[in-house]
Amino acid sequence: VSITATNGYGSDATQTLTISVAATVPTTSVVTSNANPQVVNSPITYTATISPNRGSTAVTGTVVFKQDGTALSGTVSYGASGSNLVAMLTVNAPGTAGNYAITAEYSGDSNYSASTSAALTQVVGAKFATQATVASSANPVLSGNTVDFTATVTRTAGSGIPTGTVDFYDGATSLGTDTLNASGVATITGITLSAGSHSITAVYSGDSVNSTTTSAALTQLV
């Protein structure tokens, strides 16, 4: 756009100011995952948020999600958050464990320019890694008295509670088995041990998406 000003005394007194006006406003794209890490062949929902760098006109247009540069198939749903455009796509994680680069590419519209998000590293594993801890109801315990042992199993990363069973051992001797409850806790009760020091461990069996694990040994004194 050129703006010309003159004071009426001829061309020598005329000045022209040129202003560049961008055709569209820049945008910023960000992509997130609702399950990171995730296990193979399990659902993941990717969300892209497209924000205008200035202005309050609502962002419109389309978004393509890509995994390692290849477009992911599926139906993208759209919504709005203020002037931001929100796009969501649910897909299954790859069938092979590894790290995958996920990007969201925004098409732009009549008001806003296209943009591509920074890559999100989506971690996909064969199973979730887990950890187990074992605790005693009394330590030390008097000889002849009983003791209860409790094991808690959690994922080392990601949300979700493992299922399955836990076997309790005194060294190599089995003390009993219990099924994890809804909080990921297994308990055996009324255990009588001989006088002395005992090495108590809890061995988690794993399930379809959570890996097996063995707790560190608890030294139980009787």
Side-chain angles (χ1 to χ4, degrees), residues 41-172:
N41 297 318
S42 296
I44 302 173
T45 298
Y46 296 117
T47 301
T49 302
I50 318 302
S51 305
N53 288 7
R54 60 180 182 273
S56 58
T57 301
V59 177
T60 61
T62 59
V63 173
V64 175
F65 293 87
K66 292 187 175 182
Q67 177 180 288
D68 292 341
T70 300
L72 291 168
S73 60
T75 301
V76 178
S77 61
Y78 295 93
S81 175
S83 57
N84 299 337
L85 175 67
V86 179
M88 301 178 70
L89 175 66
T90 299
V91 295
N92 278 344
T96 303
N99 294 345
Y100 296 85
I102 306 299
T103 55
E105 296 184 1
Y106 166 58
S107 65
D109 63 14
S110 59
N111 295 305
Y112 297 109
S113 59
S115 60
T116 299
S117 71
L120 165 74
T121 300
Q122 176 67 50
V123 179
V124 177
K127 289 188 175 184
F128 289 111
T130 61
Q131 59 187 8
T133 58
V134 62
S136 167
S137 61
N139 198 3
V141 64
L142 292 176
S143 179
N145 288 359
T146 62
V147 63
D148 304 334
F149 295 111
T150 299
T152 303
V153 181
T154 58
R155 290 178 180 172
T156 58
S159 60
I161 298 173
T163 62
T165 59
V166 173
D167 294 303
F168 294 83
Y169 289 91
D170 175 9

